[in-house]
Amino acid sequence: MYAVLLSGRRTVEVGKVPRPQLDEPGQVLLRMAYAGICGSDLHYYRDGRIGDQKVRFPMIVGHEGTAQVVEVSEGVTKLRSGQDVVLDPALVCGACDQCRTGRANTCRALRFLGSPGGPAGCMAEYLVMPESCCHPLPPQVSRRQGVLAEPLSIALHTLRLLGPHLPQTMAILGAGPIGLCLLAAASANGVRGIYVTDPLDWRCEAALRLGAEWAASPNTTDMLREILGAMPGGVEVVVECCGEQAALDQALQLLAPGGKLAIVGIPRTNKVRLDINLLRRKELTILNVRRQNACLAEALTLLAGQLHDLALVTHEYPLCDAPRAFAAAAAYEHGIIKAVVRLQ
């Protein structure tokens, strides 16, 4: 079969690899339909690593995917051949202390599709997955739109971490797919005072369409003056979705005393700075967000209902043009929010 191979830094190839086979009970063979290009994929593409996770080239990338079930092995009870599914890319043990206490996203033995040390990614014509990692795609959600379920699940997990009572005011720094999914999910849950920043004008425009109170580029606007002018006491929550030091600095200044900073973005460096003076004087809480935890079903429900018109997939490339897709996404070519690769 053909697969998308990251064969070096900033080098993507489409090559032939062995087609996977069912070899254990409880598995399904999938014919992949679409795979999204995520920010973490771009880290591997640009830097060859995230933190201490170093890519061993070549690596099949991709973890946001939709597919059709082709064949099932013994022990599969809920899926059938021909059914469309969305992937949960996290393969967990189910037995460690983290899994037993409801923290599968920090499973001690977690293996994640398309990441260093994990199984091959989903940017390939075929993939074998455990049945437990395949969620039926609602008929109201297209295969292409279903790619948004995984980034939307991260947004929902972030909202859960913020607590049972959502804030009335929020700033989202970074309006990529996860930032915009967070905006859409927060708006769907009744949050109204949401301020958004992103260097790309078209992403700010998308934020305004999705219900942001205000959105602008921090490169061309004094965002601290604008947001604090509207909210002199500061906002209750800031979600950092871009992995930039400048955004972390701005977040602490934007927060009201007792506020919360949720860090979703992945920096390109292993260490960042936080102003302990502001943290201490304002008594701020910092939350680190690790992917998602059992939020895919809720994400699919939203995509089939309230968020059925979430128009974040802006660019589609056939499998043979995957190198072009990565180059365009990494360069933030005009208009790109979410790029997907069509695998069939």
Side-chain angles (χ1 to χ4, degrees):
M1 68 172 183
Y2 286 100
V4 178
L5 298 164
L6 185 59
S7 55
R9 290 178 60 183
R10 294 190 176 271
T11 306
V12 170
E13 300 175 356
V14 177
K16 278 191 173 182
V17 299
R19 176 173 157 173
Q21 304 293 324
L22 298 175
D23 56 10
E24 292 182 13
Q27 292 181 331
V28 294
L29 175 64
L30 303 170
R31 186 179 188 220
M32 294 303 304
Y34 286 92
I37 297 178
C38 175
S40 59
D41 297 323
L42 294 179
H43 276 281
Y44 297 138
Y45 172 76
R46 286 187 298 242
D47 306 323
R49 64 186 297 165
I50 294 177
D52 60 0
Q53 288 191 311
K54 296 181 181 180
V55 176
R56 293 184 62 184
F57 302 112
M59 181 177 82
I60 301 177
V61 291
H63 61 268
E64 303 171 346
T66 59
Q68 184 180 60
V69 176
V70 174
E71 186 181 350
V72 301
S73 67
E74 181 183 357
V76 172
T77 59
K78 297 178 182 178
L79 297 176
R80 65 186 185 280
S81 178
Q83 191 169 8
D84 287 338
V85 297
V86 169
L87 305 183
D88 182 341
L91 284 71
V92 302
C93 72
C96 70
D97 60 324
Q98 297 298 290
C99 289
R100 293 196 309 271
T101 54
R103 294 186 52 89
N105 60 321
T106 54
C107 168
R108 303 285 187 178
L110 187 145
R111 301 169 68 236
F112 199 81
L113 288 187
S115 65
C122 68
M123 274 194 198
E125 292 182 294
Y126 292 90
L127 183 72
V128 167
M129 290 289 282
E131 180 187 29
S132 59
C133 289
C134 300
H135 293 249
L137 185 68
Q140 304 93 329
V141 183
S142 70
R143 293 174 177 176
R144 172 173 147 147
Q145 187 75 343
V147 168
L148 295 176
E150 205 271 341
L152 181 57
S153 71
I154 296 171
L156 293 171
H157 178 54
T158 303
L159 292 178
R160 286 185 188 178
L161 289 177
L162 291 173
H165 304 294
L166 290 179
Q168 295 303 304
T169 57
M170 175 187 294
I172 300 172
L173 309 184
I178 292 177
L180 291 173
C181 280
L182 181 68
L183 168 60
S187 296
N189 280 280
V191 182
R192 292 292 173 262
I194 305 177
Y195 301 82
V196 178
T197 66
D198 193 276
L200 305 177
D201 291 340
W202 62 87
R203 293 187 172 185
C204 292
E205 292 165 5
L208 292 171
R209 290 195 298 270
L210 288 171
E213 179 79 15
W214 175 94
S217 167
N219 295 342
T220 58
T221 304
D222 187 338
M223 51 88 73
L224 291 174
R225 184 182 67 185
E226 293 289 332
I227 297 175
L228 292 176
M231 296 295 303
V235 297
E236 298 167 70
V237 166
V238 174
V239 187
E240 194 281 327
C241 292
C242 58
E244 297 291 338
Q245 180 63 55
L248 292 172
D249 295 337
Q250 293 157 356
L252 300 188
Q253 296 177 71
L254 288 172
L255 280 165
K260 295 179 180 179
L261 167 61
I263 302 176
V264 179
I266 302 174
R268 295 181 72 174
T269 60
N270 286 358
K271 294 183 179 181
V272 297
R273 302 184 310 275
L274 293 171
D275 186 336
I276 189 61
N277 182 53
L278 280 176
L279 283 170
R280 180 182 58 82
R281 289 176 61 191
K282 290 186 177 183
E283 199 174 50
L284 301 176
T285 298
I286 298 178
L287 301 169
N288 286 290
V289 180
R290 175 64 166 165
R291 296 175 178 149
Q292 63 94 17
N293 188 12
C295 295
L296 263 173
E298 184 182 352
L300 287 169
T301 298
L302 279 174
L303 287 174
Q306 281 179 282
L307 300 184
H308 70 278
D309 57 352
L310 188 61
L312 301 185
V313 178
T314 54
H315 290 65
E316 177 182 320
Y317 298 84
L319 175 59
C320 61
D321 280 346
R324 168 70 181 146
F326 271 80
Y332 299 105
E333 288 194 1
H334 185 78
I336 286 186
I337 295 176
K338 168 63 76 176
V340 300
V341 176
R342 187 178 68 253
L343 297 164
Q344 301 291 343

